[in-house]
Amino acid sequence: MSMETIIRTHSAQVYRHAYRLTGNRSDAEDLAQESFVRALRAMPDGTSDGTPHNLDAWFSRVTRNLFLDQVRRSRRIGFVALADRPGTEPVDTRPGPSDVLDGRVLDADIEAALRSLSPDLRAAVVLRDLDGLSYDEVAAATGAGLGTVRSRIHRARRQLHDALDHRARPVR
């Protein structure tokens, strides 16, 4: 399979995953691009033509690992957001029209609730509930054991439920 075919086939899925992890369009585009660069450089020998058996899980794992690396690095370096500096304009993080049409955008309060989760919990619940991977695929993508994945997803769902409690409809 050619690299161009791999990228064309998986770019939407990688971008959606990156967007759900980062919570904004610009960071998601950067993360998706870096994910393809890293993944294609380190493509494991999983089949006769050098591509892994499950590319969706492979790209999800690479994207998640890059995201977690960036989170760790930003904590260590102590980045200051541009909006915190006087005289700078914030970056537009609103979704574009294509994001809305493709159904890649969640409600603002859901996005905020996802961003409030720790990176490990966010990655697990995004892979399972938004990207539709099985528990085994999430375990493969994250490098965590199946029990750990189930625990993370359970904790993430509980925290999301608590954060989104205001959306519950009153019982009549």
Side-chain angles (χ1 to χ4, degrees):
M1 184 180 301
S2 75
M3 286 191 194
E4 182 179 334
T5 303
I6 291 171
I7 292 170
R8 190 176 319 119
T9 303
H10 298 279
S11 62
Q13 180 257 336
V14 170
Y15 174 80
R16 267 192 306 277
H17 184 58
Y19 185 83
R20 289 174 177 150
L21 289 171
T22 62
N24 78 60
R25 190 171 157 185
S26 178
D27 289 345
E29 289 168 353
D30 291 344
L31 181 59
Q33 181 177 349
E34 182 64 22
S35 295
F36 277 112
V37 169
R38 290 271 180 98
L40 294 174
R41 274 191 202 147
M43 191 71 72
D45 193 18
T47 63
S48 59
D49 67 353
T51 58
H53 292 291
N54 187 339
L55 281 172
D56 286 336
W58 170 248
F59 281 121
S60 292
R61 183 176 189 164
V62 170
T63 304
R64 176 221 175 243
N65 288 343
L66 279 170
F67 170 72
L68 292 177
D69 287 347
Q70 290 174 354
V71 168
R72 287 182 201 111
R73 193 174 26 251
S74 68
R75 285 182 187 153
R76 205 172 46 238
I77 295 172
F79 281 114
V80 176
L82 286 176
D84 294 342
R85 294 183 186 163
T88 60
E89 296 296 322
V91 177
D92 183 10
T93 60
R94 294 174 298 178
S98 64
D99 296 325
V100 174
L101 290 175
D102 291 344
R104 294 186 289 220
V105 178
L106 301 173
D107 290 344
D109 56 343
I110 296 173
E111 289 285 352
L114 279 171
R115 281 192 304 274
S116 74
L117 297 174
S118 72
D120 288 333
L121 296 181
R122 185 181 331 154
V125 79
V126 164
L127 288 169
R128 175 68 183 123
D129 293 340
L130 298 177
D131 291 345
L133 272 61
S134 70
Y135 285 97
D136 290 329
E137 290 171 325
V138 174
T142 61
L146 188 57
T148 301
V149 166
R150 289 182 184 276
S151 173
R152 286 177 181 171
I153 291 170
H154 176 75
R155 284 186 298 167
R157 286 175 178 165
R158 190 176 58 227
Q159 289 178 22
L160 289 171
H161 180 269
D162 292 346
L164 297 170
D165 192 39
H166 66 278
R167 293 178 64 129
R169 292 188 178 146
V171 179
R172 293 181 187 196

